[in-house]
Amino acid sequence: MNKKGHVLNAVLLGVGLGLILTVDPTTEPTTALAVEGLTRIVELSVPVTLGALFPDVDTAFGKHRKTLHNLPVLGLFLAFPFVFGNLQFVWIGVGTHYLLDIVGSRRGIALFYPFSKTEYGFPTGVTTSHRHADAVTVVITALELAVLGAVHFLAVPLDAGVAGVQELVTASMASFAWLALVV
C-alpha cells in the first residue's frame, strides 16, 4: 500500500475504533453518547494514524519494507504502553500497516528482518498504484474492525487499561506468529 492507503486505513480505523469503544449495543443513543463518540474518534485517530505512518519512515533511511516493517519493531510498539504508560493504540496503526502491506500489496514485508531479508506477502494483493488499491484497503480495514470489535465485545475490552492491553498483545502476537507460519 502507499501512504494514501495507510492514511485511509488509519482514518477509518480511528472512526471505527471510536465507535466500537463508545457504543454499547444495550443502551439508547443520546447526545452525550454522540459527543463521547466524537471525542473518542479524535482521541484514537491521532495515535493510530501516527502508528500507521511510522513504518514508512524507513523510506528516508534503511531499506523500505525491511528496516521498520518487521516483528521486532512491532514488539517495541507493543511494549511501549507497559514502559511509558501511554500510546496504547499506536501499535494498532503499526500492526495494521504491516497487515495492509502483507495482504493488500503484492510485495509483502520482511517480517523477520534483520535476521532474514525474505519478504512475506499474500498473492492476492494489488500493486500500490492499482485502480482497486483503495477498495482493497477499505475491505481489509472492515475486516480489521470486525476482528477488533469481536475482541472488544467478546474477549478483552480494548480500553481495559494495561492489563487488557497485555492480554490483547499476547493474543495479537500469537496471531502474527500464526500468520507468519501460514505465509
Side-chain angles (χ1 to χ4, degrees), residues 6 9 13 51-52 55 68-79 89-104 108-112 120-122 140 144 147-148 151 165 167-183:
H6 290 300
N9 174 256
L13 279 171
L68 297 176
H69 286 73
N70 55 64
L71 293 178
V73 170
L74 180 60
L76 292 173
F77 280 98
L78 289 170
F89 295 97
V90 171
W91 70 269
I92 290 176
V94 175
T96 58
H97 181 113
Y98 292 1
L99 189 63
L100 276 175
D101 283 351
I102 292 170
V103 178
I109 63 174
L111 283 173
F112 302 104
Y120 297 91
F122 285 179
I140 292 170
E144 291 168 341
V147 169
L148 289 168
V151 167
V165 171
E167 289 181 45
L168 189 57
V169 165
T170 303
S172 298
M173 289 304 288
S175 297
F176 273 110
W178 178 83
L179 180 63
L181 291 175
V182 171
V183 176

Side-chain angles (χ1 to χ4, degrees), residues 24-115:
D24 179 355
T26 63
T27 61
E28 293 291 321
T30 63
T31 304
L33 188 63
V35 169
E36 181 184 346
L38 288 172
T39 302
R40 268 296 181 64
I41 288 168
V42 171
E43 176 182 80
L44 294 170
S45 292
V46 171
V48 170
T49 302
L50 289 173
L53 294 176
F54 178 78
D56 282 340
V57 170
D58 68 7
T59 58
F61 70 91
K63 298 176 188 271
H64 184 54
R65 294 212 179 175
K66 287 182 177 57
T67 306
L68 297 176
H69 286 73
N70 55 64
L71 293 178
V73 170
L74 180 60
L76 292 173
F77 280 98
L78 289 170
F80 204 92
F82 303 109
V83 176
F84 297 105
N86 62 0
L87 299 178
Q88 285 83 350
F89 295 97
V90 171
W91 70 269
I92 290 176
V94 175
T96 58
H97 181 113
Y98 292 1
L99 189 63
L100 276 175
D101 283 351
I102 292 170
V103 178
S105 71
R106 290 200 186 237
R107 181 175 166 194
I109 63 174
L111 283 173
F112 302 104
Y113 188 82
F115 309 108

